[in-house]
Each structure stands twice: as structure tokens, then as C-alpha cells.
Amino acid sequence: MARSALLNVMVQSALKAGKSLARDFGEVQNLQVSVKGPSDFVSQADIKAEKIVRDELLKARPTYGFLGEESEEIKGTDGAHRWIVDPLDGTTNFLHGIPQFAVSIALERNGEVVAGVIFNPATDELYTAEKGGGAFLNDRRIRVAARKVLSDCVIGCGIPHLGRGAHGKFLIELRHVMGEVAGVRRMGAAALDLAYVAAGRLDGFWEAELNPWDMAAGLLLIREAGGFVSDMHDGTDMFHTGTVVAGNEYIRKQLIEAIARPIPKA
């Protein structure tokens, strides 16, 4: 596949940060870890990976803005462009030696995501997409799954943990979904979950309490793989609502209906 100059910069940044993460992943028990909040850890590996990505991206495009998880936002002088970066999505997996984590990089132009890269250094899987150019896994074209009914589907989700999210609300949503699907999966890295939807590995996905860096690249991947994304109210303001529902045109609609269904009275 032919990549633009900007996408090549993003890919090289992700690979460089991923190489650093892979080294640290091999010594996960020796990492210096600080607690950022209940069950929300940030490691020196995380901070180092973001610095690598930020330095690489801003060296290539010094006027662009930068929004990352581990540092203050840089507004940039360009005004139209902003990098949106999660240097280590799936930090808890990483710190527990679970090889389900990724570097996620998106480029936003005038408020619209136009390029995205998600890289899992543990599996050497690189997902890339540019607006209008399709979505790819290791340079192979990917498409969302074609299943049309929830009963045939495996659906991914995020589960709120200690100190975060509305646990009761999620349990209601899960009750509705798990009674209608072939399986529900929680893998602990939203960026990769969205990439899995784009690749047809998951038929759909929903989660709340997300940040822009968790989903920016993944949303573009799904769209470019022929899928559909929205917030839980069937709107398009995922960055502000912090919620996302994804799948093909049939499954996304059915998933929204399932998670919004009221509990029947006894």
C-alpha cells in the first residue's frame, strides 16, 4: 500500500515507541511504577513512549498541536492540525505481563481525524488508515465483519473498574447484550478493540468513559474498513460524550438498541 508522507511519520513514530515498550515489557517486573489513581497506573515506560512519539511527530511537523495522555496539551501554531496520542493503551495489561497493549496515533485536521496508526509491539501488528484510503493490518486490506444479527456475533466491551465508571449502569448494559450475542469479550485496550472491529475479529464494540486518545485512531480504522461508529445515543460527538458504539451498519444499530433497553419490571 502507498502511504502519505504524514502517515509514514506516524508509522515510524509508533514503531520507535513500540520498540522501547517491547524492551520494557520484557522487564515488566522491574519497571518503576507510580500510582496515578485507583487501578490506573502509569509507568516510566508509558512516559518514555509518549516522549518518543511527541519528539518524532513534532520534529516532522513542529507547528502541529499535540494531545497526549501523559503530558499537557500543546496548542501549536498551525491551528488546523493536531496529533492525538496514547503512547501505551492497555497500561494495566502491560504491567501485568499481558501482551494486549498498543501505541495509538491519530492526526486530526480541522476537527476531523484523517489518519490513524495503532501498533501492538508484542504481536508486531500494525494497523493503519487514511481518510479515503482504506484500512490495513500489516499492509493487508481489512474489512469489518459482515454478520447481520447479534446472535451470531462476538462483541467487545470495556468494563469499568475500581474508582471509575458507572458500575451499575454497565451491568444493566451487559445483561442486555450477553443475552443476545454469541460471546462478549473484554481485553483491556480500547484502541486494539476498535482495531479488532475494523479487522473483523470483533463484530462490534461499546464502551463509556473513554478519552479522545483512546479512540481517535480506532474510529478512523473502522470507518475506512467499511464500518460505522457513534456514541451511545446514536450521535457523532464521541470525543465529548466519551462513549462509543461500533460495528457494521446492522450490528451497531442493534447494539445501541440492546444497551439502551430498560430492565423489565418483575
Side-chain angles (χ1 to χ4, degrees), residues 29 33 38 52 65 82 89 92 97 105 127 132 147 160-161 165 172 196 214 229 236 242-244 252-253 258 266:
Q29 299 301 324
V33 179
I52 289 170
R82 178 173 68 160
D89 186 53
T92 302
I105 304 173
Y127 297 85
R147 296 177 184 89
H161 50 74
I172 294 170
Y196 278 22
D214 298 314
V229 292
T236 58
T243 68
V244 64
R252 186 194 63 84
K253 291 178 181 177

Side-chain angles (χ1 to χ4, degrees), residues 152-218:
D152 293 333
C153 293
V154 172
I155 302 296
C157 67
I159 298 178
H161 50 74
L162 176 65
R164 184 174 179 181
H167 295 200
K169 181 177 182 295
F170 170 77
L171 290 174
I172 294 170
E173 295 169 359
L174 179 62
R175 174 182 173 181
H176 292 153
V177 173
M178 70 183 184
E180 297 192 25
V181 302
V184 178
R185 301 289 183 268
R186 158 60 162 166
M187 291 181 278
L192 284 176
D193 290 334
L194 293 169
Y196 278 22
V197 174
R201 294 174 174 176
L202 292 172
D203 297 284
F205 174 78
W206 93 97
E207 187 168 359
E209 301 284 330
L210 291 175
N211 294 295
W213 49 78
D214 298 314
M215 58 174 129

Side-chain angles (χ1 to χ4, degrees), residues 129-135 141-143 219-227:
E130 289 187 273
K131 184 183 177 184
R141 185 71 181 262
I142 54 176
R143 299 285 296 180
L219 297 181
L220 180 67
L221 275 165
I222 291 171
R223 289 178 177 133
E224 289 300 319

Side-chain angles (χ1 to χ4, degrees), residues 100-159:
Q100 185 74 0
F101 59 90
V103 182
S104 177
I105 304 173
L107 175 61
E108 186 182 62
R109 178 179 295 135
N110 294 319
E112 180 184 14
V113 177
V114 295
V117 171
I118 296 172
F119 177 54
N120 182 350
T123 59
D124 203 30
E125 290 189 329
L126 175 70
Y127 297 85
T128 57
E130 289 187 273
K131 184 183 177 184
F136 298 83
L137 167 55
N138 291 345
D139 293 335
R140 178 179 57 83
R141 185 71 181 262
I142 54 176
R143 299 285 296 180
V144 294
R147 296 177 184 89
K148 294 184 178 181
V149 293
L150 280 178
S151 58
D152 293 333
C153 293
V154 172
I155 302 296
C157 67
I159 298 178

Side-chain angles (χ1 to χ4, degrees), residues 84-103:
I84 303 176
V85 173
D86 192 340
L88 176 50
D89 186 53
T91 305
T92 302
N93 282 351
F94 182 87
L95 292 174
H96 286 77
I98 300 170
Q100 185 74 0
F101 59 90
V103 182

Side-chain angles (χ1 to χ4, degrees), residues 31-43:
L31 290 177
Q32 299 177 32
V33 179
S34 61
V35 178
K36 191 167 59 174
S39 288
D40 188 9
F41 305 104
V42 57
S43 68

Side-chain angles (χ1 to χ4, degrees), residues 26-84:
E27 301 179 6
V28 67
Q29 299 301 324
N30 299 321
L31 290 177
Q32 299 177 32
V33 179
S34 61
V35 178
K36 191 167 59 174
S39 288
D40 188 9
F41 305 104
V42 57
S43 68
Q44 293 302 312
D46 200 333
I47 296 169
K48 183 168 58 177
E50 179 161 312
K51 184 178 186 306
I52 289 170
V53 173
R54 185 178 65 246
D55 289 351
E56 290 292 310
L57 295 178
L58 295 182
K59 181 173 65 176
R61 295 292 188 276
T63 63
Y64 286 12
F66 183 93
L67 176 65
E69 182 177 11
E70 304 302 341
S71 59
E72 290 189 10
E73 182 175 2
I74 299 170
K75 291 297 184 181
T77 58
D78 177 280
H81 294 87
R82 178 173 68 160
W83 303 111
I84 303 176

